[in-house]
Amino acid sequence: MPPALMNPLMPPPPPPSVSVSAPPELEGFDDVSGRSVTQNRRFGDLRGLQWRVDLGVLPSESSTSIDDLRRVTANCRRRYANLRRRLLVEPHIPKDGSNSPDLTMDNPLSQNPDSTWSRFFRNAELERMVDQDLSRLYPEHGNYFQTPGCQGILRRILLLWCLRHPECGYRQGMHELLAPLLYVLQVDVERLSEVRKLYEDIFTDKFDGLLYQENDLSYSFDFRKSQDLLEDEIGSHGNAKVKSLDELDPALQTIVLLSDAYGAEGELGIVLSEKFMEHDAYCMFDALMSGVRGSVAMADFFSSFPVAGSQTGLPPVIEASTALYHLLCLVDSSLYSHLLDLGVEPQYFSLRWLRVLFGREFSLDNLLIIWDEIFASDNSKVEKSVDDNIDWGLRILHSPRGAFIAAMAVAMLLHLRSSLLATENPTTCLQRLLNFPENINIKKLLEKAKSLQARALSVDISSPSPLIIGYHLQSKSVMTRSQTLPSETVSPKTPVNLLTDSYWEEKWRVAHEAEELKQDGIEQQIPTRKKGWTEKVKNTLRRAGSDPPPSRIKNGKKESKVVRRNILEALHKALGPEEEAEQMDCHEILCKQENLSEAAEGVQQNDNSKGDNSYSSDDRCPSGNTGIEESSSVYSDSTSPPNEANDHEITSQGSSVASNLYLDECDETADTSLSDPPLPVSDHPESIPETSESTDVDVDKSENIPQMSGCNNNDPGNSATHPKEKKQNKFQWFWKFGRNTVEGISGKVGAASEPTKSTSSCSNQSNSQPPVSSTTSEHFTSVSSKGDSVDQNVMGTLKNIGQSMLDHIQVIESVFQQDRNQGVSVENLSKNILVGKGQVTAMAALKELRKISNILSEM
Amino acid sequence: MVLVLALGDLHIPHRAPDLPAKFKSMLVPGKIQHIICTGNLSIKEVHDYLKTLCPDLHITRGEYDEDTRYPETKTLTIGQFKLGLCHGHQVIPWGDLDSLAMLQRQLDVDILVTGHTHQFTAYKHEGGVVINPGSATGAYSSITYDVNPSFVLMDIDGLRVVVYVYELIDGEVKVDKIDFKKTASIHTAH
């Protein structure tokens, strides 16, 4: 619209009753930009009207005619008027003029709770409470909010709402949600009066004009038709006095039509009406509190009980706080862990943020802008395909509006990031959180929030976070956690003793892969990279589904390092080197542990130097790297917290059977220069099969191994159901593959893959000493030894681990030999490049591992 | 809207041990804004009890009151109404409407509350009201022996007053209501 015409409107003198200077109002006038931002912002220049549309009070379809708007408005007002008549009791004035029939019940001293008088006294009580808060509402804008008229409106609305929703009652903070709503309505009305003053003749002459028209319909029809021409005409008109409605720009026309006392529903239908501001404000407030058919209902934030259907069993506001931290964790894990370390729980500050929708943190003007965005976000539930993860759903993240609220909070946290990170104790941290700086760039903050909102909605985020909730529970009591875990480890389908070793292996692997994923910097959590390894592990453990109890793992982690070293040294002395055992398995485990990869290389070099094969080392490295990448892609699901139930199910199903199998499988693929680390195992078996299959196929081609097609059956997803198939595949594979060691390996594999026997089946004491895997096994054992339920099984576990390590080592070695025999030239090339320094250390590590596994198996 | 409790002639402990339990359970703090008591409490403990119901307590002196500091008559203005308070043993003959109307004119009040007869009465008289709340404990008087405990609660709202009469008859609380409207002309006539 031409600025010329806008000019007379541009300086909206602050309305007399609203002495607050209202920049939002100014911005409202700038509706050119406002509208271009969002198309559905039909009344971008009339904030109150726009909010009413956004909140669902008025129909949001852009096709809705002005008349429809007026009708809906009138209906809302009627409802409120009825409510007010019904609920606001004035006992001393008989409603129908007749005396109350039963004076015994209806007298001021009646003890009957249903009597009008006792209702009256209850209302009076409520009113006093409301008044206490209202009298302190926005003291800085006191000359509007503290006027008796405004206070009366606010009081009545709050009173009615509370009476209408006795289950909620009045809670402090509600008045601060309501006040801005009334304020924007007031601003709208002020604007209307401005327009009216400027174009007085249009408003006054309208009735006469109507006489010339046959009826309203044709009248509005004409108006619409001429709308197109308007833009051209206006330019010439300029500032000249506008003679007819048609010559006004559309925005003004809307205002005029909306305030036409002769339109649909007459005076009651005047959409912008000072008289019915109270009614309108109530409708908006009600819509905001009950979250009209949406998932974010502000009323929930005031309730201290979990909402029906809540999966977390937490009060909604706590749940929302949890969601907030979850989002923060995804976005900025270092800040997250800092807050966590300080023990600053989200509800300490988010309670205040969320309950009044940031009303306390920003000035009224900025608040209106923020609410613009919040209300503009759709409140309808987004159906996600999380199905099985739905148990952990955080409701606030199910709708764009909720996500935006959470994102806004996180953006505020990020805004304070540096100062928060600088805090050393929770008190100062909270002080900074609760004294949000006043002079902030609201636009920037909103932009950040918007990007975070997109993030929150896009990622699987909405379902997850068993860990965070788990964290909640954990923080409540460590006892419960340690008690619950053992029961989790015991899955219905697998015997306990079977589970123990494979279970912990499983956990460990999950944690490691999550870490690897992170290190690869794949779309998540780069910041953690800078931290120490242990910290990373901590984080990943927290994130990766709280499978192993974090505290335990943490301890286990730290200790295990020490323990590992000690044991290795001890073993060095104690054991004679049995180097030549075949070490296929160590290979695979190395892949899993990135930090150990170098050592593994060294080991392989060692093997090479002994004339085993130089090829394998080549293989290993590429497999390690690519494997990690692959794992990241596969694993994106697992890092986004899978729900615990799933995890455990799968692990319990798969781990006992599959873990062993998988190890072997991994060996196959890895050794054959295929990337495929450890992970296919745990969380999402379905996604993995393709990779493993394809890799297998590739292997066939490149290495000319016949009948590899059999490997295609190795669907990890089927692991639980087809253990035998796999086993057989393995056998075939190995048969073709290794010549020397095949017999032994096949026996071992068979033993390992038998779910029920695997622990006890140490029949193959083939003594080839597994290398690196021992270190991992140390982790497992140190961890598992702390498990309450595992104590008796420790010995068995150790034996099993030793046994399995032996198996793995044999497999690896067989592969080495195979490689050597086949003599692939290409690999040699790459190997030469990679051989470098790492191989020495790897060799040493293999040796040590072998010793350790020996000890273990002998235990 | 103002609730005014009017009662008197309790004669505790000489003629009655206490207020009837049913009355006591109805009289709870927080509802009543003013208490006007015509006198004959007769001891300070009753005065203290009434204070717990409502701190704004107005008492005139009855002939049996221990506390001699109570005034013989008292007037107060609540809302648009002017209330006069007197025990009534000074007005002879006791309980006579014309005599009471004289006192009402003397005090220049809209509502005159007196006691002493232990009988609830309420007259609309000359644009005003003359009320006797009776005895809250049902104590006997020098005139009557068979007394029903009763008191009065006035709901004063603007130019309108609703008088609720609570009477304990055969162990049941009976409530009656009397509407009274003051017209502006009468007010100016005074």
Side-chain angles (χ1 to χ4, degrees):
Chain A
M1 103 189 39
L5 197 99
M6 283 300 295
N7 276 340
L9 292 174
M10 272 317 274
S17 63
V18 189
S19 69
V20 197
S21 72
E25 208 180 345
L26 278 167
E27 194 195 68
F29 277 93
D30 189 354
D31 61 344
V32 179
S33 61
R35 265 184 204 168
S36 60
V37 172
T38 39
Q39 291 179 336
N40 62 342
R41 314 220 79 190
R42 187 178 176 192
F43 306 107
D45 51 339
L46 292 172
R47 177 175 270 144
L49 202 52
Q50 183 59 46
W51 283 10
R52 277 150 86 182
V53 173
D54 287 341
L55 286 172
V57 177
L58 297 179
S60 56
E61 293 79 21
S62 55
S63 57
T64 320
S65 70
I66 298 281
D67 280 357
D68 284 339
L69 284 182
R70 298 180 62 121
R71 256 173 228 122
V72 174
T73 308
N75 284 335
C76 290
R77 287 168 180 171
R78 275 192 207 104
R79 269 201 301 279
Y80 175 75
N82 280 333
L83 202 64
R84 191 169 144 178
R85 212 172 300 136
R86 191 158 54 86
L87 290 180
L88 281 193
V89 262
E90 295 181 44
H92 42 275
I93 301 171
K95 288 170 209 156
D96 43 2
S98 70
N99 282 355
S100 177
D102 187 5
L103 269 177
T104 328
M105 194 183 113
D106 260 343
N107 64 70
L109 298 181
S110 169
Q111 310 285 297
N112 192 325
D114 297 330
S115 70
T116 42
W117 274 97
S118 44
R119 270 167 60 201
F120 170 80
F121 282 118
R122 276 202 302 275
N123 291 4
E125 185 103 355
L126 200 58
E127 210 165 315
R128 265 198 300 279
M129 238 161 62
V130 172
D131 264 344
Q132 255 179 5
D133 284 344
L134 284 182
S135 62
R136 289 172 297 177
L137 175 72
Y138 286 116
E140 67 273 22
H141 301 311
N143 29 20
Y144 174 60
F145 287 112
Q146 296 300 330
T147 52
C150 179
Q151 293 262 307
I153 291 177
L154 292 172
R155 183 186 312 119
R156 275 193 297 276
I157 293 173
L158 287 172
L159 203 59
L160 277 181
W161 193 87
C162 297
L163 291 174
R164 186 83 181 68
H165 303 86
E167 71 280 0
C168 293
Y170 177 75
R171 297 287 154 77
Q172 207 171 20
M174 287 181 179
H175 64 300
E176 295 196 21
L177 280 177
L178 171 62
L181 299 179
L182 185 65
Y183 178 73
V184 294
L185 287 175
Q186 175 71 33
V187 169
D188 274 5
V189 170
E190 302 294 344
R191 166 135 201 251
L192 175 67
S193 69
E194 287 305 311
V195 174
R196 197 188 290 268
K197 231 179 273 169
L198 271 171
Y199 302 95
E200 206 164 342
D201 44 341
I202 293 174
F203 284 90
T204 51
D205 288 345
K206 198 127 52 100
F207 186 64
D208 297 333
L210 265 181
L211 295 181
Y212 294 109
Q213 312 287 343
E214 269 121 13
N215 55 34
D216 281 351
L217 268 183
S218 67
Y219 174 71
S220 53
F221 178 67
D222 286 347
F223 159 67
R224 288 204 180 102
K225 219 168 71 174
S226 60
Q227 223 167 8
D228 299 342
L229 305 173
L230 265 173
E231 300 296 332
D232 303 335
E233 291 175 2
I234 284 172
S236 56
H237 275 278
N239 237 347
K241 191 127 186 168
V242 185
K243 288 295 180 196
S244 79
L245 178 64
D246 292 354
E247 291 166 21
L248 284 171
D249 71 273
L252 287 181
Q253 281 170 356
T254 314
I255 294 182
V256 171
L257 277 186
L258 287 175
S259 54
D260 178 13
Y262 301 101
E265 299 280 356
E267 207 166 346
L268 192 60
I270 299 176
V271 179
L272 300 175
S273 167
E274 190 162 12
K275 238 189 252 176
F276 297 107
M277 241 166 38
E278 180 180 338
H279 303 62
D280 297 337
Y282 175 83
C283 294
M284 291 167 73
F285 183 65
D286 188 39
L288 175 63
M289 292 301 276
S290 60
V292 183
R293 67 188 172 274
S295 61
V296 179
M298 290 309 294
D300 289 347
F301 286 168
F302 290 95
S303 128
S304 52
F305 304 102
V307 180
S310 156
Q311 284 96 3
T312 53
L314 298 169
V317 71
I318 304 292
E319 192 181 296
S321 309
T322 310
L324 192 158
Y325 255 28
H326 179 64
L327 185 60
L328 177 66
C329 171
L330 283 190
V331 173
D332 187 345
S333 63
S334 58
L335 180 57
Y336 169 73
S337 51
H338 178 71
L339 291 177
L340 223 54
D341 289 344
L342 287 182
V344 176
E345 292 188 31
Q347 57 267 31
Y348 292 163
F349 55 90
S350 68
L351 213 65
R352 161 170 147 159
W353 288 6
L354 295 178
R355 278 198 175 159
V356 294
L357 278 181
F358 313 109
R360 293 240 143 199
E361 318 304 320
F362 300 96
S363 68
L364 184 59
D365 301 337
N366 282 340
L367 181 68
L368 297 185
I369 300 172
I370 293 171
W371 282 21
D372 272 342
E373 295 298 333
I374 291 178
F375 296 153
S377 304
D378 190 12
N379 195 19
S380 57
K381 242 183 204 152
V382 176
E383 288 307 329
K384 300 208 167 199
S385 57
V386 276
D387 344 307
D388 45 359
N389 285 346
I390 205 113
D391 304 273
W392 289 107
L394 297 168
R395 285 173 76 251
I396 191 177
L397 293 177
H398 282 178
S399 74
R401 184 179 299 174
F404 185 82
I405 294 171
M408 185 68 204
V410 173
M412 287 166 66
L413 280 175
L414 293 180
H415 179 77
L416 295 173
R417 185 174 194 276
S418 53
S419 78
L420 287 182
L421 283 177
T423 56
E424 283 166 358
N425 60 50
T427 316
T428 49
C429 186
L430 278 176
Q431 267 171 0
R432 289 177 190 181
L433 280 171
L434 293 178
N435 297 316
F436 201 74
E438 297 218 340
N439 50 344
I440 45 155
N441 187 341
I442 192 75
K443 284 229 166 59
K444 257 180 149 176
L445 206 60
L446 283 174
E447 273 165 26
K448 181 77 182 157
K450 267 185 214 163
S451 67
L452 288 174
Q453 177 197 23
R455 179 90 182 273
L457 285 173
S458 66
V459 195
D460 29 288
I461 211 182
S462 71
S463 58
S465 79
L467 37 135
I468 292 183
I469 291 163
Y471 157 74
H472 260 281
L473 299 176
Q474 285 163 20
S475 66
K476 299 262 154 64
S477 72
V478 182
M479 281 308 293
T480 55
R481 193 168 25 101
S482 58
Q483 281 164 1
T484 55
L485 250 162
S487 67
E488 282 169 356
T489 61
V490 180
S491 80
K493 295 182 184 176
T494 49
V496 181
N497 58 348
L498 238 192
L499 194 60
T500 49
D501 59 341
S502 55
Y503 172 79
W504 290 110
E505 282 181 43
E506 206 60 36
K507 297 300 152 205
W508 187 248
R509 209 175 308 162
V510 170
H512 261 284
E513 277 148 11
E515 187 206 346
E516 285 174 354
L517 166 67
K518 242 196 335 185
Q519 285 177 341
D520 276 359
I522 294 168
E523 72 181 287
Q524 291 199 354
Q525 298 205 326
I526 303 123
T528 52
R529 244 184 140 166
K530 297 159 196 160
K531 303 184 124 200
W533 187 64
T534 53
E535 260 175 330
K536 269 184 248 168
V537 170
K538 262 193 257 173
N539 284 339
T540 51
L541 284 176
R542 267 190 210 133
R543 238 186 334 137
S546 72
D547 294 334
S551 66
R552 263 190 242 163
I553 284 293
K554 271 182 245 164
N555 298 337
K557 186 58 230 147
K558 286 166 189 163
E559 289 176 24
S560 67
K561 272 192 165 179
V562 182
V563 171
R564 196 196 336 173
R565 238 165 248 148
N566 293 339
I567 291 182
L568 286 178
E569 287 167 6
L571 288 182
H572 249 310
K573 298 164 190 165
L575 289 178
E578 300 171 336
E579 316 259 344
E580 291 319 314
E582 296 154 350
Q583 302 175 346
M584 224 171 176
D585 277 14
C586 76
H587 209 19
E588 156 260 333
I589 293 172
L590 288 177
C591 296
K592 282 180 242 164
Q593 293 192 329
E594 225 195 14
N595 57 333
L596 293 178
S597 63
E598 288 177 9
E601 286 174 32
V603 172
Q604 284 163 356
Q605 203 189 20
N606 198 9
D607 290 341
N608 295 337
S609 68
K610 284 167 187 164
D612 259 16
N613 190 359
S614 59
Y615 161 75
S616 62
S617 66
D618 292 344
D619 255 353
R620 217 208 46 74
C621 291
S623 70
N625 296 335
T626 52
I628 289 161
E629 285 161 17
E630 257 196 22
S631 73
S632 63
S633 64
V634 172
Y635 246 81
S636 58
D637 284 336
S638 69
T639 47
S640 68
N643 59 16
E644 249 178 323
N646 269 352
D647 241 2
H648 286 298
E649 263 184 52
I650 291 173
T651 52
S652 60
Q653 286 178 358
S655 60
S656 63
V657 178
S659 64
N660 291 333
L661 292 178
Y662 281 137
L663 298 182
D664 299 333
E665 247 185 15
C666 295
D667 294 346
E668 296 174 2
T669 52
D671 290 339
T672 52
S673 89
L674 283 183
S675 50
D676 156 47
L679 41 128
V681 193
S682 62
D683 283 321
H684 294 269
E686 294 83 0
S687 62
I688 296 151
E690 296 103 9
T691 60
S692 62
E693 281 180 34
S694 64
T695 54
D696 286 345
V697 174
D698 292 343
V699 171
D700 293 341
K701 291 172 189 166
S702 64
E703 305 212 345
N704 302 322
I705 297 171
Q707 296 184 355
M708 274 308 291
S709 61
C711 287
N712 288 338
N713 289 333
N714 291 349
D715 279 3
N718 299 333
S719 63
T721 56
H722 306 293
K724 286 184 180 175
E725 269 188 36
K726 273 191 191 165
K727 191 171 65 179
Q728 288 173 359
N729 291 336
K730 274 236 174 79
F731 283 115
Q732 291 177 0
W733 203 86
F734 284 130
W735 273 110
K736 292 155 214 152
F737 215 29
R739 290 164 200 154
N740 315 332
T741 61
V742 168
E743 299 283 348
I745 291 173
S746 64
K748 287 167 203 158
V749 169
S753 61
E754 285 214 27
T756 52
K757 292 178 190 171
S758 70
T759 52
S760 58
S761 66
C762 300
S763 59
N764 305 324
Q765 307 285 350
S766 68
N767 306 332
S768 57
Q769 307 319 328
V772 179
S773 59
S774 66
T775 58
T776 58
S777 69
E778 282 306 318
H779 291 287
F780 302 150
T781 52
S782 66
V783 169
S784 63
S785 65
K786 284 169 194 150
D788 302 334
S789 65
V790 192
D791 286 334
Q792 304 100 339
N793 297 329
V794 170
M795 290 308 292
T797 309
L798 290 176
K799 275 185 189 173
N800 290 332
I801 291 171
Q803 183 57 39
S804 64
M805 279 193 286
L806 291 182
D807 296 343
H808 295 323
I809 290 170
Q810 281 187 344
V811 175
I812 290 175
E813 291 222 343
S814 71
V815 170
F816 289 175
Q817 289 188 349
Q818 174 71 24
D819 293 337
R820 182 184 53 188
N821 293 336
Q822 290 188 349
V824 183
S825 62
V826 179
E827 255 99 13
N828 281 332
L829 278 179
S830 59
K831 161 213 144 186
N832 289 331
I833 300 169
L834 292 163
V835 160
K837 35 137 197 184
Q839 290 194 346
V840 182
T841 51
M843 189 184 70
L846 274 176
K847 270 188 205 168
E848 291 171 349
L849 282 174
R850 245 178 286 158
K851 291 169 204 160
I852 292 170
S853 60
N854 241 0
I855 288 184
L856 287 176
S857 62
E858 281 170 9
M859 287 169 80
Chain B
M1 190 217 65
V2 182
L3 286 181
V4 181
L5 175 69
L7 78 176
D9 293 313
L10 292 92
H11 289 283
I12 298 172
H14 309 111
R15 303 187 190 176
D18 201 356
L19 277 172
K22 294 218 171 185
F23 281 181
K24 272 199 142 173
S25 68
M26 296 171 81
L27 296 170
V28 290
K31 290 183 175 179
I32 297 160
Q33 280 84 40
H34 307 278
I35 297 181
I36 52 180
C37 180
T38 56
N40 276 349
L41 298 177
S42 322
I43 53 174
K44 185 175 176 299
E45 280 72 16
V46 179
H47 169 273
D48 293 344
Y49 166 73
L50 293 177
K51 273 275 188 189
T52 65
L53 296 181
C54 165
D56 190 32
L57 178 63
H58 305 275
I59 303 178
T60 51
R61 184 164 182 246
E63 73 271 35
Y64 290 103
D65 273 324
E66 285 179 345
D67 194 335
T68 54
R69 287 169 302 177
Y70 298 145
E72 293 291 322
T73 59
K74 196 168 186 177
T75 58
L76 60 154
T77 306
I78 296 173
Q80 313 225 16
F81 284 88
K82 202 171 174 196
L83 278 75
L85 192 58
C86 179
H87 181 254
H89 65 269
Q90 310 92 330
V91 183
I92 301 172
W94 292 338
D96 179 66
L97 177 59
D98 289 332
S99 308
L100 290 173
M102 232 155 66
L103 179 64
Q104 183 191 2
R105 284 190 295 273
Q106 272 180 4
L107 297 174
D108 188 20
V109 292
D110 302 308
I111 301 170
L112 177 68
V113 182
T114 60
H116 189 60
T117 62
H118 297 208
Q119 291 288 331
F120 164 75
T121 52
Y123 305 104
K124 289 179 189 176
H125 183 72
E126 291 183 0
V129 191
V130 177
I131 296 173
N132 185 331
S135 166
T137 54
Y140 64 87
S141 76
S142 45
I143 312 169
T144 54
Y145 278 90
D146 186 21
V147 177
N148 285 326
S150 64
F151 65 89
V152 159
L153 189 67
M154 288 182 287
D155 173 11
I156 299 175
D157 186 51
L159 285 174
R160 184 167 180 272
V161 61
V162 182
V163 179
Y164 292 90
V165 185
Y166 292 82
E167 201 168 2
L168 191 67
I169 299 173
D170 299 332
E172 290 298 318
V173 177
K174 254 194 65 187
V175 187
D176 210 343
K177 193 171 91 168
I178 300 164
D179 260 335
F180 171 68
K181 272 194 186 105
K182 183 170 93 164
T183 58
S185 62
I186 286 176
H187 183 64
T188 51
H190 278 284

